[in-house]
Amino acid sequence: MKKIKILFLFVCLSTFLSACGDDNDTSVPVAVKTVLMYLVGDNNISGQIYNNIESVERGLSEVTSPGTFVIYWDGGSRKGEFPVPTLFKYEVDGKGSVSKREVIKTYSSQNSVSNEVVVNVLKDVKTYCPAERYSLIFGSHATGWLPVDDSKSRSFGDDSGAKINIPDLSKALAQSGIHFDYILFDACLMSQVEVAYELRNAADYLILSPAEVMSAGFPYFKMTKYLLSADNSEQSAINIAKDFIDYYKNEYNYSWGTIAVIKTNEISALADVTCSIMKQYQGNLVKFDNSKIDYFQAHYGYGRSPLDHSTYDFRAFIRELTDGNIPSDFEGQLDRVVVYKDYVDDDKLVDIDSDIYSGIGCYIPDTRYLKWNAFFRTLQWHSAAGWDEVGR
């Protein structure tokens, strides 16, 4: 009888503990892939940015692998639908089934390009939509490496005038604790060596445009199947970039676009090669006076007024610096960094030289832009590429 009582108590205790475990089991299933689209739309292109949500919804049914697509929306043109910044998601099974939009969290009015908010939203995604792998899309205004100021120099974002410098954005990404398969910038002037070097530890690949991006943005209805793919990250990134070019070449009513896919773990080696070239050809830097830089702006500049003189084709700069003899080790390493590049410029916004186009830009210090020069010296690329050693 004593043994029976002990056995009975053991069974009861086991049942009790099991029940407690069930009641407190709040774990969220881990998806294979979660993509976050972070849209900062409280600005003059709010309507166009919002259209990307519908474009994603069109593309989700074409996804062939299961996953979670999350969107953070902070925009001024849809106060009825989204009165406050909102995080919502769609679940896809990879067989054509897509869940209805599900709101994950709403936020009080906030600066969506502050370091704190970016970190908090990314951590919320990690908590509510855990996954084996993550990717990230940023959509807003941008001006690349340039410092935030009161003019149109935004670096990244425009949330009712608020912006974030690229080094601060890089810190926020690091603080989130997430490493991304890729980061796509649906924003202007982001394919620059200065930007890529700052973000080299945040993702395996960067998908960016060296020049302006049309306000229509990327064709998500075509690309979403690649955005959520958990297979070959490099090929998925290249497929995304190819769809971008195909759209602006064949479907959109304005034939303009530039794109590049950057492999981040190769960019440190590119900085080393560049530093060696800078030292070897230091004497040639005197050629880059105002007249030469103006020539570069006209022929290889990616930025238009008031952002002209902020970024030029990187390969064109190295060609000029080396008297037309681009070292083979530079060419080889540039090819390892920029694994895909293309453009369409039937309707020219800037001049693209097909013989030199590298898909990535760079800054050349200019005596007429003292504030830009001062900020350029704070970027990691400045010292990594040897600019500090040549005194510019």
Side-chain angles (χ1 to χ4, degrees), residues 84-226:
V84 293
T86 304
L87 189 69
F88 54 95
K89 71 173 182 176
Y90 308 86
E91 298 286 353
V92 297
D93 67 356
K95 301 176 182 178
S97 178
V98 182
S99 71
K100 292 183 179 180
R101 179 189 299 176
E102 178 185 342
V103 173
I104 301 170
K105 188 173 182 177
T106 57
Y107 306 83
S108 57
S109 181
Q110 59 187 5
N111 172 12
S112 293
V113 286
S114 71
N115 182 288
E116 179 182 8
V117 170
V118 172
V119 172
N120 287 342
V121 172
L122 289 173
K123 286 186 175 181
D124 283 341
V125 171
K126 191 175 181 181
T127 297
Y128 295 111
C129 304
E132 297 173 13
R133 299 165 68 172
Y134 294 87
S135 291
L136 177 61
I137 302 163
F138 279 119
S140 192
H141 280 302
T143 60
W145 74 269
L146 286 173
V148 167
D149 62 26
D150 294 329
S151 71
K152 289 188 176 182
S153 176
R154 298 180 174 93
S155 217
F156 173 76
D158 187 341
D159 187 2
S160 295
K163 311 151 188 177
I164 186 169
N165 283 317
I166 300 304
D168 294 327
L169 180 61
S170 177
K171 291 175 184 176
L173 296 174
Q175 290 167 7
S176 76
I178 303 175
H179 183 83
F180 301 95
D181 285 353
Y182 65 79
I183 300 175
L184 186 158
F185 279 93
D186 191 344
C188 299
L189 298 168
M190 293 301 288
S191 185
Q192 301 169 357
V193 288
E194 298 85 1
V195 172
Y197 199 79
E198 292 289 335
L199 299 177
R200 68 192 184 281
N201 297 319
D204 294 334
Y205 295 91
L206 303 173
I207 307 168
L208 327 103
S209 171
E212 292 181 59
V213 176
M214 295 290 97
S215 59
F218 281 65
Y220 296 102
F221 67 94
K222 293 167 64 74
M223 297 162 25
T224 304
K225 59 182 179 290
Y226 300 124

Side-chain angles (χ1 to χ4, degrees), residues 31-35 63-68 131-135 181-182 224-237:
V32 176
K33 182 73 175 285
T34 289
V35 175
V63 174
T64 57
S65 55
T68 306
E132 297 173 13
R133 299 165 68 172
Y134 294 87
S135 291
D181 285 353
Y182 65 79
T224 304
K225 59 182 179 290
Y226 300 124
L227 294 172
L228 269 170
S229 173
D231 296 329
N232 191 317
S233 295
E234 181 169 312
Q235 190 57 54
S236 293

Side-chain angles (χ1 to χ4, degrees), residues 39 50-57 71 73 88 90 101:
L39 302 178
Y50 177 84
N51 290 339
N52 292 328
I53 299 175
E54 180 185 3
S55 186
V56 165
E57 291 175 341
I71 299 178
W73 169 261
F88 54 95
Y90 308 86
R101 179 189 299 176

Side-chain angles (χ1 to χ4, degrees), residues 287-308:
K287 296 193 300 183
F288 292 93
D289 56 13
N290 291 352
S291 176
K292 176 63 72 174
I293 291 179
D294 288 344
Y295 173 86
F296 255 63
Q297 173 58 40
H299 293 83
Y300 311 113
Y302 289 126
R304 297 190 299 162
S305 178
L307 306 174
D308 50 328

